[in-house]
Amino acid sequence: MAPTPALFISFESLQIFFAGLIELIGFGESFKWLATLLAGISISFLIINVMVMATAFYTWFERRMIARFQVRRGPNRNGPFGMLQPFADVLKLIMKEDTIPDEADKPVFTLAPIALLAPTLMIMIVIPFGTFIDDQAFLSNLNIGILFIVGVTSVNSIAIFMAGWASRNKYAILGSMRGAAMLISYEIPMALGITSVLILSGSLAMTEIVSSQSVWFILVMPMGFFVFMAASTAEMSRTPFDQIEAESELGSGYNTEYSGIKFAVLFLAEFMAPLVTAAVVTTLFLGGSRGFDFLPGGIWFALKMFIIIFVLLWFRSTWPRLRIDQIMGFAWKTLFGLGLFNIFLVALEFSLADQFGGLASDKVSLTPKYMLIIGAINWIITIAIILIMANVVGRKKYTRPEPTPSPLANMGIKES
Amino acid sequence: MATIRTEPVTINLGPQHPSTHGVFRLRVTFDGEKIVDLEPVFGYLHRGTEKLAESRNYVQIVTLTDRMDYVASMSNNLAYVRTVEKLSDIKVPERAQYIRVISVELQRIASHLMATGFLLNDLGALATPLVYCFRERERILDLFEMLCGARITLSYMRPGGVFQDAPEEFWGSLNTLISDFPSYLDELESLITTNEIVLARTIGVGLLSDAQAIDSGVTGPMLRASSVKWDLRKANPYEIYDRVNFDVPIGSSGDTYDRYYVRLQEMRESIKIISQCIEQIEPGPVRTETPFFIRPPIGEAYSSVEGPKGELGFYMVSDGGISPYRFKVRAPSFINLTPLRDMITGWKMGDLIIILGSIDIVLGEVDR
Amino acid sequence: MYGLGLFKGLGVTMKNLVSPSRQFNIVQYPNRRASPFDLAKVDNQNPVSFIATHPLKTLRSLLGLETITDRMPQHANFRGEEFAWYDRRCTGCASCAKYCPLGIIKIVTGTSGVNQQEGQSYDIDVFDIDIGRCMFCGLCVEACPYDALHMGSGFEEGKYRRSDLVINIDQLKSAEKKPSTWFRPQLTSRGHDPIKGSTADWEEVGRHEKPSLEDQSERWAKR
Ligand code: SF4
Ligand code: SF4
């Protein structure tokens, strides 16, 4: 993986660039830290701007798409097809008064939006999103990339709890209590889903995970995909797990008291989450920027992200939400079990394949043929398990007796 | 080990809350997510309809009844004018009765669509089923616009009939509507009825047993969901309901799912009633000539109809003047709230919202 | 079979997303973005020649800068604002004022002179309708025995002050008369449709046939 240097943006390349620049100006070796600093600042600048713009576009897309699902029109007044609507929204929010409730814990109240936004942005650092020239561009090739993601996403729950707690609002507290409980519970299935990926890829680095997907992991282990997808939907609090906001129950949940620019930041973080999740899912399960040669990797990556986002929107516009105890039950009784079972299954299959000589040349992942065989078995098992579970549980819970008229009243009486 | 001291939290749900269906306030005491106590507070939309009616004449009151259950004004109109007719013994031409039944059944569909849509909205389905329901309701409102020039506050009926016959193009649109509607209901059902999330959320939630329902005076779809087969259209047929065939759908246990499902089935029955009415209706006058100011004889009358929410009754005392001496409304939404506390205590926050949604209250009617 | 209901639901939403026949009939108010085809339709041209002759307009409409207005498909029975009142028919009997549940029609009549339409009648000095409080129930129209008062057909009567919402006699007299056919079957049978823009003058709105000229000169002297 030797990328084309000219178009390859990463921390290292920027460091080299700035070091060269500093040398050109004439500063000595002692200013090397400056190069590191400048590279860091440029990377941050890049991520923040790209992500904010992408999120702005995404909010427009989401509103528009959901409106279409709901046979409405969606925003269509500002700019062509209403594309400038997000900017109008942001302008409105910036111009609004930034109120802080009297009773609020002011520092925490102010910090919470930042604490929510920062981790979401940080995840993007390790995503190998591919450029339009080369497949393997990333901002920083951490060799523990996926661990970094798991670690960083956990900060979300504390940020949401900060926001709810500091607001001194009962609705907000209720929302953030739910959030804390739910987000922490769903970390576990999420980690389990990731673990099964790691078994097949044999590496924690995101680039390695991508390069080991000669067959997309969604085809190899649908159950892992299901677990991870469900867990990350819950992590970003989307339907059917949108308990943190639950606008029909809690008004607006943890962000009830926020207004103005703080609300804008919360909103930004919240709408950035689907993008980030889609990027992670694409990397882990859909083969990242891998695709056919006629299009560059970046476009494949974007396309896959788009599909994931679309599916998430589709779910969001179709399904109602579960109740909080059902959500917790789903995490611990269903997803946890499925995740463990999936790890067991994949590990077993992996070692069996190893026995039969299915290891690829890099000695950590399997050859495509064996992956496909495993995939076929896993698909059958997954569908069978899910349907059997649904029917066993469903038959017990949802079978309705035939309605029989109550003996307490009869309709035979006929007055004049 | 030290125990953590916890205490219940009291939250004011409403009057400004997205899911209380109007300016309805619930003082709910939570123990964590669980509801331990609840006290409904209402009256925020009180407009004194009953008192206002005492200074209006009998035709003018029709406009007041529009504003009680504003998603089903046609039914209110019918209940009211039937009481006046009973009080002053006015005969209604047959065609008028058919038109009344058609419009009331259309209104029932519209109201049930709204109830279903908002129930799903309360379930958190991001308004998608709601908009689908509204799309169909809009077609019914278009029909009402043809019929009487307004969409919500209809004022269509008058003591002695309806004020004007339906225009020609009404019948064509009505026919297309009722031929489209069953397929639309099928679609709505496949979106909702078999959805496992809906099942998980609604089945067994907010149980109301038949004895409890009868004791609290609950009527309408809510009573029928508790498997009590009671429908005024069958039990005490008014207008021309004895000439049409329809079933009275009942639920099996009286939970939220049953209340939803009974409404859905009732819409199908309404379609049946309307298509039979279209077959049976014959040309003729639509209004008995009544004097400008109706002066009923001294006396009193109570008459009720099966509205979309339940038994909607009007009680009037006449002193022989041009306006009633006393005017009293039996508002089904209000009385259906009676078992609210029993239904909700013990359930969780999310259940509260959907139980309230499944009762289908309209605050205009609760507060009057 | 449990476990499939969720996917059935997804099917339904997808069907609604793609099928044009399931779309909500939305009228964008007050105007909507026009595609080149819409503009061509307004110009009564075929789209190809329109695009050829108006490249700038086409470009603007593709960027979403061109708008056209859409009208609600109302029915002629629609009870709109801006009452249509015919001073030549009105006798000043004040039935409408008496019948209005809110009492918002204010009529002041004078006895000076003789009004020759339907025999004796009053002169009307004040005829105010406070549509700010009106609920458009139409009872006043129903009450009018001389077919002088009709519901209007418009609905765009927004004003900045409540007091501006009071329609006085001069406005009523000078307004364009587009009476709704609500409670006026004679207008329907004469083919009047205010939504399509037809107006009606005082001779046409009555429930009786328009009197012949001799009749008029015989019974009613020129005003
Ligand atoms: S429409 Fe109704 S409220 Fe308005 S002026 Fe006429 S009678 Fe009064
Ligand atoms: S009822 Fe008719 S004729 Fe009498 S005052 Fe009113 S508008 Fe004039």
Side-chain angles (χ1 to χ4, degrees):
Chain A
M1 31 169 239
T4 341
L7 279 144
F8 176 50
I9 304 166
S10 82
F11 185 67
E12 288 84 4
S13 66
L14 277 172
Q15 215 173 358
I16 294 167
F17 170 75
F18 279 114
L21 203 69
I22 286 167
E23 224 172 85
L24 208 71
I25 298 168
F27 290 110
E29 277 286 292
S30 54
F31 278 93
K32 219 168 178 180
W33 58 270
L34 195 60
T36 315
L37 186 70
L38 281 176
I41 289 175
S42 345
I43 288 280
S44 319
F45 186 77
L46 192 82
I47 296 177
I48 291 174
N49 278 293
V50 168
M51 281 313 285
V52 167
M53 289 313 287
T55 312
F57 179 72
Y58 170 69
T59 52
W60 170 80
F61 177 72
E62 159 150 4
R63 290 175 61 182
R64 197 73 189 168
M65 208 62 223
I66 284 190
R68 283 323 215 165
F69 270 119
Q70 297 178 352
V71 295
R72 296 183 288 117
R73 287 290 148 89
N76 63 355
R77 292 274 149 169
N78 295 325
F81 307 107
M83 272 192 192
L84 299 182
Q85 186 64 35
F87 302 100
D89 288 345
V90 167
L91 260 181
K92 184 202 84 174
L93 282 174
I94 287 175
M95 287 199 285
K96 279 202 165 180
E97 187 190 352
D98 185 13
T99 51
I100 298 180
D102 272 353
E103 295 277 298
D105 190 343
K106 290 192 182 64
V108 182
F109 189 83
T110 318
L111 270 178
I114 303 164
L116 193 62
L117 182 63
T120 321
L121 279 170
M122 272 156 76
I123 293 175
M124 280 321 272
I125 293 175
V126 296
I127 306 281
F129 47 80
T131 61
F132 295 98
I133 304 295
D134 194 276
D135 279 0
Q136 293 286 338
F138 37 79
L139 295 170
S140 175
N141 186 16
L142 280 185
N143 57 3
I144 48 156
I146 192 70
L147 206 59
F148 176 78
I149 290 179
V150 175
V152 162
T153 43
S154 320
V155 181
N156 265 359
S157 46
I158 188 123
I160 283 177
F161 196 71
M162 275 161 76
W165 180 259
S167 308
R168 275 290 189 111
N169 176 313
K170 285 172 182 168
Y171 286 115
I173 290 208
L174 219 59
S176 57
M177 290 296 281
R178 283 176 174 191
M182 195 174 98
L183 294 187
I184 291 170
S185 306
Y186 273 89
E187 302 260 291
I188 291 155
M190 198 166 127
L192 290 178
I194 289 172
T195 313
S196 58
V197 172
L198 298 185
I199 293 175
L200 283 182
S201 70
S203 168
L204 289 170
M206 298 295 265
T207 44
E208 295 290 315
I209 292 175
V210 172
S211 61
S212 67
Q213 291 189 46
S214 47
V215 175
W216 297 357
F217 284 162
I218 182 178
L219 299 176
V220 183
M221 38 177 193
M223 206 192 293
F225 176 74
F226 171 71
V227 171
F228 183 79
M229 204 56 193
S232 49
T233 314
E235 280 290 311
M236 61 186 170
S237 182
R238 288 250 138 181
T239 324
F241 307 106
D242 58 343
Q243 278 299 331
I244 303 179
E245 295 197 20
E247 66 272 5
S248 68
E249 294 163 25
L250 298 179
S252 180
Y254 69 97
N255 55 26
T256 309
E257 290 289 349
Y258 280 86
S259 72
I261 187 70
K262 294 204 189 72
F263 179 75
V265 173
L266 281 178
F267 191 76
L268 187 69
E270 197 179 294
F271 274 82
M272 207 177 275
L275 283 180
V276 172
T277 307
V280 174
V281 171
T282 307
T283 317
L284 292 187
F285 287 95
L286 296 187
S289 49
R290 293 178 78 111
F292 298 106
D293 275 343
F294 59 89
L295 284 177
I299 293 193
W300 281 112
F301 193 87
L303 219 64
K304 289 169 187 174
M305 256 177 87
F306 178 83
I307 290 171
I308 294 283
I309 285 174
F310 179 79
V311 170
L312 284 175
L313 285 183
W314 193 5
F315 291 170
R316 185 167 183 218
S317 53
T318 309
W319 294 342
R321 84 169 69 84
L322 286 159
R323 203 169 58 211
I324 180 72
D325 55 327
Q326 288 164 344
I327 289 180
M328 302 297 277
F330 186 65
W332 290 104
K333 292 181 197 153
T334 310
L335 285 187
F336 187 64
L338 281 182
L340 281 180
F341 182 70
N342 184 44
I343 291 177
F344 167 74
L345 205 65
V346 172
L348 189 73
E349 283 161 350
F350 187 86
S351 52
L352 278 180
D354 191 7
Q355 294 290 314
F356 288 107
L359 276 194
S361 52
D362 63 354
K363 291 282 176 262
V364 284
S365 56
L366 297 174
T367 53
K369 195 178 112 195
Y370 278 88
M371 286 232 223
L372 284 177
I373 295 172
I374 293 178
I377 299 169
N378 279 356
W379 268 98
I380 295 168
I381 293 179
T382 307
I383 292 175
I385 284 187
I386 290 180
L387 281 186
I388 289 171
M389 261 173 49
N391 279 292
V392 168
V393 176
R395 192 129 304 146
K396 206 173 95 211
K397 273 193 188 157
Y398 308 140
T399 315
R400 321 275 300 157
E402 268 299 300
T404 40
S406 155
L408 296 177
N410 80 65
M411 229 160 47
I413 326 153
K414 196 171 171 184
E415 304 164 23
S416 62
Chain B
M1 198 183 102
T3 50
I4 305 170
R5 197 177 65 86
T6 59
E7 59 182 51
V9 186
T10 305
I11 295 186
N12 270 319
L13 231 70
Q16 278 86 34
H17 185 276
S19 304
T20 49
H21 295 234
V23 279
F24 183 53
R25 178 169 147 217
L26 283 166
R27 280 179 47 168
V28 196
T29 311
F30 286 100
D31 178 11
E33 280 267 340
K34 208 171 143 203
I35 293 154
V36 290
D37 196 10
L38 161 138
E39 183 193 345
V41 183
F42 32 69
Y44 292 94
L45 205 59
H46 179 66
R47 291 150 302 177
T49 304
E50 293 178 1
K51 193 72 192 165
L52 282 175
E54 289 169 17
S55 56
R56 299 252 195 294
N57 72 40
Y58 285 95
V59 175
Q60 289 173 346
I61 295 173
V62 173
T63 63
L64 287 179
T65 63
D66 282 342
R67 281 149 183 84
M68 278 171 17
D69 181 354
Y70 38 74
V71 297
S73 8
M74 216 44 120
S75 315
N76 298 3
N77 285 353
L78 179 66
Y80 168 72
V81 296
R82 277 188 54 75
T83 318
V84 177
E85 282 153 13
K86 194 169 173 184
L87 193 62
S88 44
D89 211 13
I90 300 171
K91 289 279 169 295
V92 185
E94 204 156 88
R95 185 180 173 84
Q97 295 193 4
Y98 276 105
I99 292 184
R100 280 181 181 188
V101 167
I102 290 173
S103 47
V104 166
E105 292 303 321
L106 282 176
Q107 185 75 78
R108 185 187 314 279
I109 297 171
S111 170
H112 282 353
L113 277 177
M114 220 157 131
T116 311
F118 275 111
L119 174 64
L120 263 288
N121 197 29
D122 291 348
L123 275 167
L126 199 86
T128 311
L130 177 67
V131 181
Y132 293 173
C133 288
F134 263 59
R135 178 182 59 199
E136 307 306 315
R137 176 174 176 263
E138 205 65 12
R139 295 175 61 187
I140 294 175
L141 296 192
D142 282 344
L143 284 180
F144 285 159
E145 187 182 310
M146 288 183 194
L147 208 53
C148 56
R151 299 167 76 84
I152 306 287
T153 50
L154 305 159
S155 308
Y156 182 46
M157 298 179 191
R158 300 280 185 271
V162 295
F163 73 76
Q164 119 186 344
D165 203 346
E168 280 304 311
E169 52 275 32
F170 174 79
W171 301 106
S173 311
L174 183 63
N175 273 325
T176 42
L177 179 84
I178 62 168
S179 59
D180 292 356
F181 211 81
S183 74
Y184 162 72
L185 281 179
D186 291 341
E187 188 185 298
L188 195 66
E189 271 210 63
S190 55
L191 179 60
I192 304 169
T193 310
T194 52
N195 190 320
E196 279 77 11
I197 299 180
V198 175
L199 294 178
R201 283 297 301 278
T202 53
I203 284 185
V205 172
L207 273 178
L208 184 70
S209 71
D210 45 358
Q212 217 180 346
I214 292 174
D215 287 350
S216 11
V218 164
T219 46
M222 215 174 139
L223 178 70
R224 291 193 280 279
S226 304
S227 74
V228 180
K229 205 165 179 145
W230 180 263
D231 189 325
L232 278 178
R233 290 175 293 174
K234 274 254 196 266
N236 181 13
Y238 49 91
E239 303 290 304
I240 47 97
Y241 277 114
D242 47 354
R243 295 185 216 167
V244 289
N245 289 323
F246 63 98
D247 292 334
V248 179
I250 55 171
S252 50
S253 61
D255 54 14
T256 306
Y257 181 80
D258 275 334
R259 288 195 276 277
Y260 148 72
Y261 201 56
V262 162
R263 288 206 178 93
L264 208 85
Q265 286 168 305
E266 270 186 24
M267 286 192 243
R268 292 188 195 277
E269 297 303 322
S270 294
I271 292 288
K272 251 198 237 171
I273 296 174
I274 294 171
S275 51
Q276 287 174 44
C277 284
I278 295 177
E279 279 166 21
Q280 293 175 12
I281 192 166
E282 274 163 15
V286 292
R287 188 173 181 180
T288 317
E289 282 302 321
T290 49
F292 203 75
F293 293 112
I294 300 168
R295 288 172 206 270
I298 296 171
E300 57 182 32
Y302 173 81
S303 170
S304 58
V305 302
E306 183 71 33
K309 315 271 184 319
E311 177 179 346
L312 175 64
F314 283 83
Y315 172 70
M316 264 184 274
V317 181
S318 158
D319 58 356
I322 57 168
S323 44
Y325 176 75
R326 174 78 173 98
F327 182 83
K328 167 89 181 80
V329 189
R330 184 209 186 273
S333 295
F334 177 62
I335 292 168
N336 286 357
L337 281 176
T338 317
L340 185 69
R341 188 166 177 275
D342 296 337
M343 279 160 76
I344 289 181
T345 19
W347 293 99
K348 300 212 163 40
M349 173 102 176
D351 298 325
L352 182 157
I353 302 294
I354 62 164
I355 293 170
L356 190 64
S358 72
I359 295 177
D360 185 21
I361 53 169
V362 167
L363 259 292
E365 195 176 57
V366 173
D367 293 342
R368 275 158 288 145
Chain C
M1 190 76 169
Y2 296 97
L4 297 181
L6 290 174
F7 297 97
K8 255 202 249 169
L10 288 178
V12 172
T13 39
M14 185 45 96
K15 189 173 136 209
N16 278 285
L17 174 75
V18 294
S19 106
S21 67
R22 308 293 305 148
Q23 296 302 309
F24 210 141
N25 180 17
I26 293 176
V27 176
Q28 296 181 47
Y29 183 83
N31 53 21
R32 71 178 164 91
R33 295 189 181 283
S35 71
F37 295 103
D38 295 326
L39 291 178
K41 218 176 182 180
V42 172
D43 263 21
N44 276 331
Q45 287 185 18
N46 77 33
V48 181
S49 73
F50 178 83
I51 292 170
T53 48
H54 300 84
L56 196 67
K57 262 195 168 175
T58 311
L59 194 69
R60 277 171 59 87
S61 81
L62 285 179
L63 286 175
L65 297 173
E66 290 284 337
T67 53
I68 56 173
T69 48
D70 247 359
R71 278 296 289 193
M72 277 289 274
Q74 289 165 354
H75 192 262
N77 270 353
F78 180 69
R79 304 203 293 250
E81 296 183 12
E82 83 223 339
F83 291 84
W85 177 70
Y86 296 91
D87 59 318
R88 302 202 59 174
R89 300 193 74 90
C90 181
T91 59
C93 69
S95 299
C96 49
K98 217 181 222 172
Y99 222 53
C100 174
L102 306 174
I104 56 174
I105 302 181
K106 183 180 175 194
I107 299 180
V108 176
T109 51
T111 48
S112 58
V114 176
N115 189 327
Q116 288 106 342
Q117 290 158 30
E118 298 250 5
Q120 294 281 345
S121 82
Y122 298 110
D123 263 4
I124 299 148
D125 302 330
V126 177
F127 196 102
D128 287 352
I129 306 181
D130 181 1
I131 63 165
R133 289 177 58 206
C134 179
M135 56 187 173
F136 309 105
C137 60
L139 288 183
C140 49
V141 176
E142 198 176 322
C144 178
Y146 302 106
D147 297 337
L149 190 62
H150 303 256
M151 299 305 288
S153 53
F155 53 88
E156 292 155 316
E157 285 289 302
K159 297 275 160 56
Y160 285 101
R161 271 178 222 90
R162 272 200 96 88
S163 56
D164 291 350
L165 283 167
V166 180
I167 309 184
N168 61 28
I169 187 163
D170 298 326
Q171 280 167 314
L172 280 171
K173 268 182 187 162
S174 60
E176 197 188 10
K177 303 285 195 300
K178 284 188 186 169
S180 157
T181 59
W182 188 86
F183 205 72
R184 295 283 182 251
Q186 68 267 23
L187 288 179
T188 320
S189 56
R190 279 170 210 165
H192 170 78
D193 189 346
I195 308 301
K196 297 213 177 78
S198 61
T199 54
D201 64 20
W202 72 274
E203 292 158 316
E204 295 165 356
V205 294
R207 67 192 73 172
H208 308 293
E209 275 306 308
K210 182 181 162 187
S212 64
L213 268 181
E214 302 87 72
D215 228 18
Q216 282 187 34
S217 56
E218 192 181 300
R219 282 176 56 201
W220 305 331
K222 281 261 175 318
R223 199 175 184 190

